[in-house]
Amino acid sequence: MASSLVTSSQPNRPPRPNLAFRRLRGLRSPAEFAAAIRRAALEIGEQVSCDARYIGRVEAGEIHCPNYAYERVFLHMFPGRTLTDLGFAPRSSVRGRRARDTEDAPLTCTADPANATSESSGACEPYETQDPYDPYHPHDTYEESDVLRRAFMTGGGATVAAASLGPVGLALDAAAAQRPVRRAGASDAGALEEAVRRIRLLDDRHGADGLYRRAAAPLRAAYALLDAGTTRQTTADRLYSGAGELAISVGWLAHDSGRFDDARSHYAEALATARMTNDPGLEAHAFCNTAFLARDAGRPREAVRAAQAAQRVARPVGSARLMSLLALREAGGWAGLADRVGCEQALARAQAFFERGPSDDDPEWMSFYGEAELEGLEAQCWSTLGDWPRAARHARRAAELQDPHFTRNIALYTAELADDLARGGRPDEAAVAGMRVLDLLEEVQSSRIQTMLAATARVLSPHRRASGVSAFLERHASLPRMV
């Protein structure tokens, strides 16, 4: 069989590390720097799904020139500097690169990605370096495959989740289904990883309800890629890891929107994928979410066992922040069992691990986990144990500390605060917090938060004469019913 690989006339030159960009990061971890970039993007109305992996690729020199959205954000963060000052190649040198790379690339750029049979599959540049709206880049050989080409490639900020979900289609369309089956390549793995990031970004902003049904098709397409096979073990590992992470993300959307049986199935699928590929990071993530789901579904003993299993498999990962989160999952299970001592011990471990600080070994999916999430999860533990004043203190601190990027979490912590205040005999303060949640629900769609707010409304109903309570109850009653 003739190979589809073409030997280069020149050696494949490794990328040169971007030392200028690394200096700009300073003492911050990649995850912290990524969070700063996302905040800067929001300041100018941009939406970028930046994470620690992206920072690592920039610093390694894999991204020669950022797309236009990232360029605007970087120039906003570092005024007076140019792309070259930041260690990138000038855009003018990248625009004509595709034609020149045919001489330098070890693989050919296939004219029709559907007919490619190797890693080449139209891959001329790392996918982050190109702008889907750049007229200087022809799209007939754009790196992402036909299966994954539209993986959440939205432009600009979305005001509602539905508007952001137009391009979610990772599923095969009718035309692609009739094309010859080809092996999956590195471009497919990259697009799959970007799809996971986009789901997480949209969930952070808008909550799960409007996302879940649309995200199931991308997951089916991801597992179709696994069935197609690949020629390189490194690509296969990325595909399995990406498919497992996508299964967890889709499972979380089901979980947060109250579809517990669906969530359990997706988490189990991710766990099986992790064990098939001996991926401890993915396995720990799957157990982490399984523990969270078990707690919410009223199975606290299962939550404890799943969290403990997660901690066992997570040790080789080397992330103190991951161990901290897993200890909090265990604490939630002990609280559900009304075991205050077990809960307090797990909370102490979580705090101790958290105080070790972030590291480069922290998984990229943990971008949401900071001091605010630590406070929020501890608040849930004390709420479950019936210690309302203590729960309210932690919930209030969580809402105050949360990064504005995580709109859904701000709504969640504020809803927790409202409920704790209501049950703790402070109906006027609970109504104020409840009003803030109602404001956020104009942007966030989460059955979890709506269910919490409905419970708070029932607790406040006998206190209509308290300041602000009647107005809150009337506004809450006008909300559209959950379906």
Side-chain angles (χ1 to χ4, degrees), residues 290-336:
T290 298
F292 196 13
L293 174 64
R295 188 208 70 170
D296 286 353
R299 299 190 299 270
R301 195 169 301 281
E302 179 186 333
V304 170
R305 294 183 64 184
Q308 290 174 340
Q311 290 169 78
R312 286 194 298 272
V313 299
R315 290 190 185 102
V317 177
S319 168
R321 285 289 167 93
L322 175 58
M323 295 298 290
S324 174
L325 176 60
L326 298 177
L328 282 169
R329 295 287 187 244
E330 182 183 343
W334 289 124

Coordinates of all heavy atoms in Angstrom, one line a residue, residues 290-336:
T290 N -18.6 11.7 39.5 CA -19.5 10.6 39.9 C -19.8 10.9 41.4 O -21.0 10.7 41.8 CB -18.9 9.3 39.7 OG1 -18.6 9.0 38.3 CG2 -19.8 8.2 40.3
A291 N -18.8 11.3 42.2 CA -19.1 11.6 43.6 C -20.0 12.7 43.8 O -20.9 12.7 44.6 CB -17.7 11.9 44.3
F292 N -19.9 13.8 43.0 CA -20.7 14.9 43.0 C -22.2 14.6 42.7 O -23.1 15.0 43.3 CB -20.2 16.0 42.1 CG -20.7 17.4 42.3 CD1 -21.4 17.7 43.4 CD2 -20.5 18.4 41.3 CE1 -21.9 19.0 43.6 CE2 -21.0 19.7 41.5 CZ -21.7 20.0 42.6
L293 N -22.3 13.8 41.6 CA -23.6 13.3 41.2 C -24.3 12.5 42.3 O -25.5 12.7 42.6 CB -23.5 12.5 39.9 CG -24.8 11.9 39.4 CD1 -25.9 12.9 39.0 CD2 -24.5 11.0 38.2
A294 N -23.5 11.6 42.9 CA -24.1 10.7 43.9 C -24.6 11.5 45.1 O -25.7 11.2 45.7 CB -23.0 9.7 44.4
R295 N -23.9 12.6 45.5 CA -24.3 13.4 46.6 C -25.6 14.1 46.2 O -26.6 14.1 47.0 CB -23.2 14.5 46.8 CG -23.5 15.3 48.1 CD -22.9 16.7 47.9 NE -23.6 17.6 47.0 CZ -23.4 18.9 46.8 NH1 -22.5 19.5 47.5 NH2 -24.0 19.5 45.9
D296 N -25.7 14.6 45.0 CA -26.9 15.3 44.6 C -28.1 14.4 44.4 O -29.3 14.8 44.6 CB -26.7 16.1 43.3 CG -25.8 17.3 43.4 OD1 -25.5 17.7 44.6 OD2 -25.4 17.9 42.4
A297 N -27.8 13.1 44.1 CA -28.9 12.2 43.9 C -29.3 11.5 45.1 O -30.2 10.6 45.1 CB -28.4 11.1 42.8
G298 N -28.8 11.9 46.3 CA -29.2 11.3 47.5 C -28.5 10.0 47.9 O -29.1 9.2 48.6
R299 N -27.3 9.8 47.3 CA -26.6 8.6 47.6 C -25.2 9.0 48.3 O -24.1 8.8 47.6 CB -26.3 7.7 46.3 CG -27.6 7.3 45.7 CD -27.3 6.3 44.6 NE -26.5 6.8 43.5 CZ -26.9 7.5 42.4 NH1 -28.2 7.6 42.2 NH2 -26.1 7.9 41.5
P300 N -25.2 9.5 49.5 CA -24.0 10.0 50.1 C -22.9 9.0 50.3 O -21.7 9.4 50.2 CB -24.5 10.6 51.4 CG -25.8 9.9 51.7 CD -26.4 9.6 50.4
R301 N -23.3 7.8 50.6 CA -22.2 6.8 50.9 C -21.5 6.5 49.6 O -20.2 6.3 49.5 CB -22.8 5.5 51.4 CG -21.7 4.6 52.0 CD -22.4 3.4 52.8 NE -23.2 3.9 53.9 CZ -22.7 4.3 55.1 NH1 -21.4 4.4 55.3 NH2 -23.6 4.8 56.0
E302 N -22.2 6.4 48.5 CA -21.5 6.3 47.2 C -20.7 7.5 46.9 O -19.6 7.3 46.3 CB -22.6 6.1 46.1 CG -22.0 5.9 44.7 CD -23.0 5.9 43.6 OE1 -24.2 5.5 43.8 OE2 -22.7 6.3 42.4
A303 N -21.1 8.7 47.3 CA -20.3 9.9 47.0 C -19.0 9.8 47.8 O -17.9 10.1 47.2 CB -21.1 11.1 47.5
V304 N -19.0 9.3 49.0 CA -17.8 9.1 49.8 C -16.8 8.1 49.1 O -15.6 8.4 48.9 CB -18.1 8.7 51.2 CG1 -16.8 8.3 52.0 CG2 -18.8 9.8 52.0
R305 N -17.4 7.0 48.7 CA -16.5 5.9 48.1 C -15.9 6.4 46.8 O -14.8 6.1 46.5 CB -17.3 4.7 47.9 CG -17.8 4.0 49.3 CD -18.5 2.7 49.1 NE -17.6 1.7 48.4 CZ -18.1 0.5 48.1 NH1 -19.3 0.2 48.3 NH2 -17.2 -0.4 47.6
A306 N -16.8 7.1 45.9 CA -16.2 7.6 44.7 C -15.2 8.6 44.9 O -14.2 8.6 44.1 CB -17.4 8.1 43.8
A307 N -15.4 9.5 45.8 CA -14.4 10.5 46.1 C -13.1 9.9 46.6 O -12.0 10.4 46.2 CB -14.9 11.6 47.1
Q308 N -13.2 8.9 47.4 CA -12.0 8.3 47.9 C -11.2 7.5 46.8 O -10.0 7.5 46.8 CB -12.3 7.3 49.1 CG -12.8 8.0 50.3 CD -13.3 7.1 51.4 OE1 -13.7 5.9 51.1 NE2 -13.3 7.6 52.6
A309 N -12.0 6.9 45.9 CA -11.4 6.2 44.8 C -10.7 7.3 43.9 O -9.6 7.0 43.4 CB -12.4 5.5 43.9
A310 N -11.3 8.4 43.7 CA -10.7 9.5 42.9 C -9.3 9.9 43.5 O -8.4 10.2 42.8 CB -11.6 10.7 42.8
Q311 N -9.3 10.0 44.8 CA -8.1 10.5 45.5 C -7.0 9.4 45.3 O -5.8 9.8 45.2 CB -8.3 10.7 47.0 CG -9.2 12.0 47.2 CD -9.7 12.1 48.6 OE1 -8.9 12.5 49.5 NE2 -11.0 11.8 48.9
R312 N -7.3 8.1 45.3 CA -6.3 7.1 45.1 C -5.7 7.2 43.8 O -4.5 7.1 43.6 CB -6.9 5.7 45.4 CG -7.2 5.4 46.8 CD -7.5 3.9 47.0 NE -8.7 3.4 46.2 CZ -9.9 3.5 46.7 NH1 -10.1 3.9 47.9 NH2 -10.9 3.0 46.0
V313 N -6.5 7.3 42.7 CA -6.0 7.3 41.4 C -5.3 8.7 41.0 O -4.5 8.7 40.1 CB -7.1 7.0 40.3 CG1 -7.6 5.6 40.6 CG2 -8.2 8.0 40.3
A314 N -5.7 9.7 41.8 CA -5.2 11.1 41.4 C -3.8 11.3 42.0 O -3.1 12.3 41.5 CB -6.1 12.1 41.9
R315 N -3.3 10.5 42.9 CA -2.0 10.8 43.5 C -0.9 11.0 42.5 O 0.0 11.9 42.6 CB -1.7 9.8 44.6 CG -2.6 9.9 45.8 CD -2.1 9.0 46.9 NE -3.0 9.0 48.1 CZ -3.9 8.1 48.3 NH1 -4.0 7.0 47.6 NH2 -4.7 8.2 49.4
P316 N -0.8 10.1 41.5 CA 0.3 10.2 40.5 C 0.2 11.5 39.6 O 1.2 11.9 39.0 CB 0.1 8.9 39.6 CG -0.7 8.0 40.4 CD -1.6 8.8 41.2
V317 N -1.0 12.1 39.6 CA -1.1 13.3 38.8 C -0.2 14.4 39.3 O 0.3 15.3 38.6 CB -2.6 13.7 38.7 CG1 -2.8 15.0 37.9 CG2 -3.4 12.6 38.0
G318 N -0.1 14.5 40.7 CA 0.8 15.5 41.3 C 0.2 16.8 41.5 O 0.9 17.8 41.6
S319 N -1.1 16.9 41.5 CA -1.8 18.2 41.6 C -2.4 18.4 43.0 O -3.4 17.6 43.3 CB -2.9 18.4 40.5 OG -3.7 19.5 40.8
A320 N -1.9 19.3 43.8 CA -2.5 19.5 45.1 C -3.9 20.1 45.0 O -4.8 19.7 45.8 CB -1.6 20.4 46.0
R321 N -4.1 20.9 44.0 CA -5.5 21.5 43.9 C -6.5 20.4 43.5 O -7.7 20.5 43.9 CB -5.4 22.6 42.8 CG -4.8 23.9 43.3 CD -5.7 24.6 44.3 NE -5.0 25.7 45.0 CZ -5.0 26.9 44.6 NH1 -5.6 27.3 43.5 NH2 -4.4 27.8 45.4
L322 N -6.1 19.4 42.7 CA -7.0 18.3 42.4 C -7.3 17.5 43.6 O -8.5 17.2 43.9 CB -6.4 17.4 41.3 CG -7.2 16.1 41.0 CD1 -8.6 16.5 40.5 CD2 -6.4 15.3 39.9
M323 N -6.3 17.3 44.5 CA -6.6 16.5 45.7 C -7.5 17.3 46.6 O -8.3 16.8 47.4 CB -5.2 16.2 46.4 CG -4.4 15.3 45.6 SD -5.1 13.6 45.3 CE -5.0 13.0 47.0
S324 N -7.3 18.7 46.6 CA -8.2 19.5 47.4 C -9.7 19.4 47.0 O -10.5 19.2 47.8 CB -7.7 21.0 47.3 OG -8.6 21.8 48.0
L325 N -9.9 19.5 45.7 CA -11.3 19.3 45.2 C -11.9 18.0 45.6 O -13.0 17.8 45.9 CB -11.3 19.6 43.7 CG -12.7 19.4 43.0 CD1 -13.7 20.4 43.6 CD2 -12.5 19.6 41.5
L326 N -11.1 16.9 45.4 CA -11.6 15.6 45.7 C -11.9 15.4 47.2 O -12.8 14.7 47.5 CB -10.5 14.5 45.2 CG -10.3 14.6 43.7 CD1 -9.2 13.5 43.3 CD2 -11.5 14.3 42.9
A327 N -11.1 16.0 48.0 CA -11.4 16.0 49.5 C -12.7 16.7 49.7 O -13.5 16.2 50.6 CB -10.3 16.6 50.3
L328 N -13.0 17.8 49.0 CA -14.3 18.4 49.2 C -15.4 17.6 48.7 O -16.5 17.6 49.3 CB -14.3 19.7 48.4 CG -13.5 20.9 49.0 CD1 -13.4 22.0 48.0 CD2 -14.3 21.4 50.3
R329 N -15.2 16.8 47.6 CA -16.3 15.9 47.2 C -16.5 14.8 48.3 O -17.7 14.5 48.6 CB -15.8 15.2 45.9 CG -15.7 16.1 44.7 CD -17.0 16.5 44.2 NE -16.9 17.3 43.0 CZ -17.2 18.6 42.8 NH1 -17.7 19.2 43.8 NH2 -17.0 19.2 41.7
E330 N -15.5 14.4 49.0 CA -15.7 13.4 50.1 C -16.4 14.1 51.2 O -17.3 13.5 51.8 CB -14.3 12.9 50.5 CG -14.4 11.9 51.6 CD -13.1 11.4 52.2 OE1 -12.0 11.6 51.5 OE2 -13.0 10.8 53.3
A331 N -16.0 15.3 51.5 CA -16.7 16.1 52.6 C -18.2 16.2 52.4 O -19.0 16.0 53.3 CB -16.1 17.4 52.8
G332 N -18.6 16.4 51.1 CA -20.0 16.5 50.8 C -20.7 15.2 51.1 O -21.9 15.2 51.5
G333 N -20.1 14.1 50.8 CA -20.7 12.8 51.1 C -20.8 12.6 52.6 O -21.9 12.1 53.0
W334 N -19.8 12.9 53.4 CA -19.9 12.8 54.8 C -21.0 13.6 55.4 O -21.7 13.2 56.3 CB -18.6 13.1 55.5 CG -17.5 12.1 55.3 CD1 -16.2 12.3 54.7 CD2 -17.5 10.7 55.6 NE1 -15.5 11.2 54.7 CE2 -16.2 10.2 55.2 CE3 -18.5 9.9 56.2 CZ2 -15.9 8.8 55.4 CZ3 -18.1 8.5 56.3 CH2 -16.9 8.0 56.0
A335 N -21.1 14.9 54.8 CA -22.2 15.7 55.3 C -23.6 15.1 55.0 O -24.5 15.2 55.9 CB -22.1 17.1 54.6
G336 N -23.7 14.5 53.9 CA -25.0 13.8 53.5 C -25.3 12.7 54.5 O -26.5 12.3 54.7

